Every structure is written in structure tokens, then in C-alpha cells.
Amino acid sequence: MRVGLFLTCLNDALFPAAGKAVVRVLERLGHEVVFPAGQTCCGQAHFNTGYRRECVPLARKFLGDFAGLDHVVSPSASCVAMVRENYPELVGQSPPVFELTEFLVDVLGVTDVGAAFPHRVTYHPTCHGLRLLDLGDRPTALLRAVRGLRLIDLPDATHCCGFGGTFAVKNADTSVAMGTDKARNVLATGAEVVAAVDNSCLMHVGGLLSRWRSGTRVMHVAEILASAP
């Protein structure tokens, strides 16, 4: 199967390891990954701040960039939700785009991707993954199948971390307060790693954990699934 990698702006600029991890996981499962080098922003920032007309050329470009591929997969629930939920309104269609864990479970029908990661991990379900894509237990099913991984429940897991893209910029004090609650809950688990399907949320929570010199790492779920025995 030929699968297009939709990396997203944030991952491209700050977390390229997540994209490389997606490639390793899909190639391990026998699929060809195509990276359209001309891909740009999906337009979420424009859309969420009211610039919907300016978002239309980006949506049309996205359709062209990923045309002809069997599926499009991304390590970002947030940007996948943008494409799936809003492109039909903007340009009348949406390509077959999936967040990585739903692609693995729903399309490929696998939960064990042959990974090994001998560490204590807690999982933060991001808002777009939880509420817009309805990922449910797909990410945790994949994590529970990783050899050596001990998955620890996160208190108040469904509470927002407070990032929210431009929300963190416009409402910094509230955003930091919400992130502080999330980071404290992470520390309460005693986990070595907090994982999620959106690096935007991990960037927010990870910034606090780093400032506190907690030693707790943040990792995208794709990076854990890409870990080899």
C-alpha cells in the first residue's frame, strides 16, 4: 500500500522525529511511505482565527499534494481533524486522511507493531484526538502491545492540557494554569514518559516538566511504536 505522510508544520519545524517514526512503523509493516516534499500548512491556524477565505488555497494545495495516494497518515490528530472536519466545507471534499493510531487499528487491523520499550509510560489523550476523531482506546491498545512497556493511568486524563494552538497565545495565564494541572498529574503517576498523539500538547506539558527539572520525558506515540526490540 502507498501511504502519504502528512507531517504537519509543527512536526516539520520542531519534532521531525515523529515523522521519521511513522515511516519506520509503516515500513516495518510492509508499506511504502511517500513524502510529498511540497506540502505546507493545512490551514488550521487560519481557520481557527477566522481567516477562512485565506484557508481555501491551502486546502486546495493539500488535495493536490496528496492526490493519487491510497491513504494519507499523520502524527497529528489536531491537523487530521482540521482536514477531515473542515475541508468539506471549504473545498467540498476531504482526502482519506488518518491519524496514525486509527490508521494502524482501523485500516491495517493491527495493535502489535513489533515494538519494545521497557519503560513506565502514561498517556495523555489530546482534545482533538479524543473529541473530534474519537480515537478512544486505539492509542492505548497499541501501547499495551509494546513489549516491556508498563502503561500507567493518568489522573483526569480527559482534561485539556491548555495548549489549544492560539488559545495558549491569547490566554497565556489560563493556558499555563491548565498545563500545570496536567503536568502535576503526570508527575503523580511516577511515569518516566508521557505520550500523546499530538506534539503540540506535548510541547506545552513538556515545557513545564522541563522547567521543573522533573526528568520526565515527553514522546509522541509514534516514537514509542517505532522502538525496536
Side-chain angles (χ1 to χ4, degrees):
M1 184 184 298
R2 294 180 73 241
V3 180
L5 172 60
F6 168 33
L7 184 56
T8 79
C9 304
L10 184 75
N11 285 317
D12 187 33
L14 299 175
F15 303 100
K20 294 177 182 177
V22 172
V23 174
R24 290 201 298 275
V25 172
L26 294 179
E27 288 186 343
R28 183 192 298 160
L29 296 173
H31 301 284
E32 177 188 358
V33 181
V34 178
F35 179 73
Q39 62 180 280
T40 54
C41 176
C42 66
Q44 183 180 182
H46 304 68
F47 190 90
N48 289 349
T49 48
Y51 293 92
R52 299 193 174 190
R53 184 174 61 185
E54 289 78 0
C55 187
V56 171
L58 293 169
R60 288 175 177 156
K61 185 177 186 309
F62 185 99
L63 295 177
D65 288 339
F66 290 97
L69 294 165
D70 297 321
H71 298 92
V72 181
V73 175
S74 176
S76 170
S78 179
C79 294
V80 168
M82 167 63 197
V83 173
R84 189 183 299 172
E85 295 291 321
N86 299 315
Y87 276 24
E89 173 190 336
L90 292 170
V91 292
Q93 60 178 306
S94 175
V97 59
F98 296 87
E99 182 276 331
L100 174 65
T101 64
E102 66 175 352
F103 181 75
L104 293 171
V105 175
D106 294 355
V107 179
L108 300 184
V110 299
T111 51
D112 186 345
V113 298
F117 191 74
H119 298 282
R120 301 186 307 276
V121 177
T122 193
Y123 173 72
H124 164 58
T126 66
C127 290
H128 283 106
L130 182 71
R131 298 176 174 87
L132 291 182
L133 298 186
D134 195 22
L135 293 181
D137 63 357
R138 295 172 181 83
T140 52
L142 287 156
L143 291 174
R144 291 184 193 282
V146 173
R147 290 156 185 75
L149 187 150
R150 179 188 170 197
L151 188 62
I152 306 172
D153 290 339
L154 177 65
D156 297 328
T158 59
H159 289 191
C160 176
C161 73
F163 178 65
T166 54
F167 176 84
V169 177
K170 295 178 178 178
N171 305 278
D173 291 343
T174 304
S175 174
V176 170
M178 295 170 72
T180 298
D181 287 344
K182 180 64 68 174
R184 284 175 176 161
N185 283 334
V186 168
L187 292 182
T189 67
E192 302 166 77
V193 174
V194 54
V197 296
D198 277 293
N199 269 322
S200 50
C201 300
L202 291 176
M203 178 176 67
H204 185 57
V205 177
L208 290 162
L209 293 171
S210 176
R211 181 175 297 179
W212 298 344
R213 302 182 186 279
S214 68
T216 306
R217 293 183 288 159
V218 298
M219 290 182 71
H220 194 284
V221 166
E223 295 178 85
I224 295 175
L225 298 181
S227 300

